[in-house]
């Protein structure tokens, strides 16, 4: 999913809260399309986010104050996944420098 047209200074959580992706995700109409059967169990993907996002049924974020060992382990795994995604975006920006521009571009030229 790509949403272009927001200024670079707009935070991720604000952009998510003000576009169709949030509406479709919370309505269950988007991620459901990517569900897969795994050992006779339907597995639906989730979005992972940082602490700036509000928790929702299909959006995972770290525990604010992990108390139990399983909460700390969850935070470690989720942080690791987020770091890998950030690295992937860094590689994309290194390959396609247009992604690093601060200018709002017409989507037909991206």
């Amino acid at each position: 999913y790509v949403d272009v047209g927001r200024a670079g200074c707009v935070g991720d959580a604000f952009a998510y809260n003000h576009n169709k992706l949030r509406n479709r995700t919370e309505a269950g109409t988007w991620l459901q399309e990517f569900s897969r059967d795994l050992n006779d169990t339907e597995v639906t993907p989730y979005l992972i986010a940082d602490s700036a996002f509000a928790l929702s049924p299909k959006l995972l974020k770290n525990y604010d104050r992990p108390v139990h060992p399983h909460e700390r382990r969850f935070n470690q795994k989720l942080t690791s996944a987020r770091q890998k995604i950030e690295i992937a975006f860094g590689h994309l920006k290194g390959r396609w420098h247009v992604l690093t521009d601060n200018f709002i571009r017409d989507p037909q030229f991206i």
Side-chain angles (χ1 to χ4, degrees):
Y1 188 90
V2 176
D3 180 22
V4 296
R6 301 230 183 250
C9 63
V10 171
D12 296 339
F14 180 88
Y16 175 73
N17 286 331
H18 294 88
N19 76 35
K20 294 176 187 174
L21 174 62
R22 177 182 179 219
N23 298 336
R24 291 183 66 199
T25 300
E26 291 187 5
T29 59
W30 183 64
L31 290 175
Q32 194 66 31
E33 298 172 22
F34 302 102
S35 295
R36 298 290 180 262
D37 185 60
L38 182 64
N39 297 329
D40 298 323
T41 302
E42 184 179 8
V43 178
T44 304
Y46 290 84
L47 299 176
I48 58 176
D50 61 26
S51 60
F53 287 76
L55 188 62
S56 71
K58 290 295 180 182
L59 192 139
L60 300 176
K61 65 182 222 171
N62 285 346
Y63 286 95
D64 289 333
R65 293 178 192 88
V67 176
H68 302 289
H70 68 274
E71 293 173 343
R72 287 190 288 276
R73 178 93 168 132
F74 176 84
N75 280 2
Q76 290 171 343
K77 293 294 185 179
L78 193 64
T79 298
S80 175
R82 286 188 54 244
Q83 288 171 340
K84 289 175 178 137
I85 292 167
E86 292 293 333
I87 289 169
F89 275 103
H91 288 291
L92 289 172
K93 287 180 178 181
R95 176 67 176 93
W96 291 286
H97 297 283
V98 68
L99 297 174
T100 63
D101 285 350
N102 289 327
F103 298 104
I104 297 175
R105 298 200 180 263
D106 188 334
Q108 73 183 21
F109 297 113
I110 294 180

